[in-house]
Amino acid sequence: MLLRLDKYLADMGMGTRSQIKEKIRKGKVAVNGEPTWAPELKVDPSRDTVELEGRPVGYAELEYYMLNKPAGVITATEDKRQKTVLDLMEGRKRRDLFPVGRLDVDTEGLLLITNDGELAHQLLSPKKHVDKVYYVKLDREIPREAADTFAAGMTLGDGTKLQPALLCLESTVSARLTIREGKFHQVKRMFQAVGCRVIYLKRLSMGPLALDETLAPGACRPLTEEEIRQLKESVSLKAGQ
Ligand code: URA
């Protein structure tokens, strides 16, 4: 894989593309020990060594984090007005991370953040049937027929057809719901269709990846090697792929 020098340094969180171009033009960057003034120079992260102001900058290819998303932040990489999930990860400096899938602003819980486009694509593919488990609280009693309605695969008011989903009641007004898709406001619209309003929603897991309950809302941690392996295996990607 060949990368432009300015992108390489931006991916590693060394500044914005324009700040980096400026540094390169000022001769602060060397490739394989030779100073360069060309931001467009192509480098091979597996062979070339890049130094910024005399310090080597390695290229970590793929990174994986789980975030316990709190309510009140949007699932986006950047936004002029609202705080985003990536703003919560300031300590993680690289700039090519993105959230896998989307949680509503008022939804909490598990969000996978990575720069592995292939894994993200596979996890979001409807064909891969990756289960997502949500904990949900409702504004009124869940009707008796809800579990059967969800299990049969329902059609929402706008004609959206849904795959079967599994509802397990935890009380008369709270439940765990397992869905395989990630349609817009899916959980809220499913409950709306059976006459309830969701007043609290938290994602607990995505495929084999479960939210680490020791993570406070707003906190994140890197995935373990085992978690990465299991996630890849769940969508039939081999480790290292
Ligand atoms: N379903 C919803 O309605 N909202 C979410 O954030 C996730 C699933």
Side-chain angles (χ1 to χ4, degrees), residues 102-108 134 179 182-189 198 201 203:
R102 189 176 164 281
L103 294 177
D104 296 335
V105 66
D106 54 350
T107 302
E108 300 181 6
Y134 290 86
I179 59 174
K183 298 245 158 68
F184 186 62
H185 296 327
Q186 180 167 339
V187 176
K188 291 176 184 163
R189 290 197 295 157
V198 171
L201 187 57
R203 183 154 65 193

Side-chain angles (χ1 to χ4, degrees), residues 19-77:
Q19 287 166 342
I20 288 165
K21 279 184 184 153
E22 189 62 22
K23 286 185 183 170
I24 297 173
R25 293 211 175 92
K26 286 188 175 154
K28 294 184 175 176
V29 175
V31 175
N32 300 326
E34 297 292 327
T36 175
W37 290 267
E40 70 282 0
L41 182 76
K42 292 284 195 324
V43 290
D44 179 347
S46 64
R47 289 172 182 210
D48 296 322
T49 58
V50 176
E51 285 166 84
L52 172 64
E53 292 164 340
R55 275 190 300 267
V57 180
Y59 195 83
E61 298 247 329
L62 298 173
E63 293 189 357
Y64 307 85
Y65 299 93
M66 74 161 75
L67 171 74
N68 184 0
K69 179 191 173 297
V73 297
I74 60 168
T75 309
T77 50

Side-chain angles (χ1 to χ4, degrees), residues 1-234:
M1 178 186 58
L2 289 179
L3 278 179
R4 279 178 61 114
L5 180 58
D6 54 355
K7 176 161 172 27
Y8 178 113
L9 288 166
D11 283 354
M12 291 303 104
M14 296 297 139
T16 62
R17 283 288 265 273
S18 50
Q19 287 166 342
I20 288 165
K21 279 184 184 153
E22 189 62 22
K23 286 185 183 170
I24 297 173
R25 293 211 175 92
K26 286 188 175 154
K28 294 184 175 176
V29 175
V31 175
N32 300 326
E34 297 292 327
T36 175
W37 290 267
E40 70 282 0
L41 182 76
K42 292 284 195 324
V43 290
D44 179 347
S46 64
R47 289 172 182 210
D48 296 322
T49 58
V50 176
E51 285 166 84
L52 172 64
E53 292 164 340
R55 275 190 300 267
V57 180
Y59 195 83
E61 298 247 329
L62 298 173
E63 293 189 357
Y64 307 85
Y65 299 93
M66 74 161 75
L67 171 74
N68 184 0
K69 179 191 173 297
V73 297
I74 60 168
T75 309
T77 50
E78 54 185 16
D79 191 85
K80 289 210 171 64
R81 268 165 260 134
Q82 283 173 280
K83 195 164 181 172
T84 72
V85 289
L86 267 277
D87 293 334
L88 295 172
M89 302 189 55
E90 263 164 11
R92 320 284 164 196
K93 293 183 81 191
R94 65 183 300 153
R95 286 171 188 265
D96 57 351
L97 294 172
F98 59 88
V100 178
R102 189 176 164 281
L103 294 177
D104 296 335
V105 66
D106 54 350
T107 302
E108 300 181 6
L110 177 68
L111 196 59
L112 172 64
I113 310 248
T114 183
N115 60 341
D116 185 342
E118 177 58 18
L119 178 65
H121 176 74
Q122 298 291 336
L123 288 170
L124 297 175
S125 161
K127 288 194 205 117
K128 294 286 176 176
H129 301 299
V130 176
D131 284 347
K132 270 83 69 177
V133 182
Y134 290 86
Y135 172 73
V136 54
K137 277 191 202 160
L138 292 313
D139 68 334
R140 64 194 66 198
E141 278 192 18
I142 303 169
R144 278 174 200 279
E145 73 279 8
D148 288 343
T149 307
F150 293 173
M154 62 198 295
T155 303
L156 298 174
D158 65 354
T160 305
K161 288 200 171 49
L162 299 180
Q163 292 181 26
L166 178 68
L167 183 68
C168 297
L169 296 194
E170 296 221 330
S171 75
T172 53
V173 291
S174 63
R176 278 173 193 239
L177 177 67
T178 305
I179 59 174
R180 298 197 143 167
E181 306 141 289
K183 298 245 158 68
F184 186 62
H185 296 327
Q186 180 167 339
V187 176
K188 291 176 184 163
R189 290 197 295 157
M190 287 172 73
F191 279 100
Q192 195 183 26
V194 295
C196 301
R197 190 168 59 83
V198 171
I199 55 169
Y200 177 78
L201 187 57
K202 178 176 181 180
R203 183 154 65 193
L204 303 175
S205 65
M206 183 178 197
L209 186 66
L211 178 66
D212 180 341
E213 291 289 349
T214 65
L215 280 181
C220 70
R221 70 153 170 81
L223 295 194
T224 63
E225 290 295 321
E226 183 58 13
E227 285 168 335
I228 298 168
R229 194 192 60 72
Q230 288 178 357
L231 261 185
K232 289 187 172 180
E233 198 175 85
S234 73

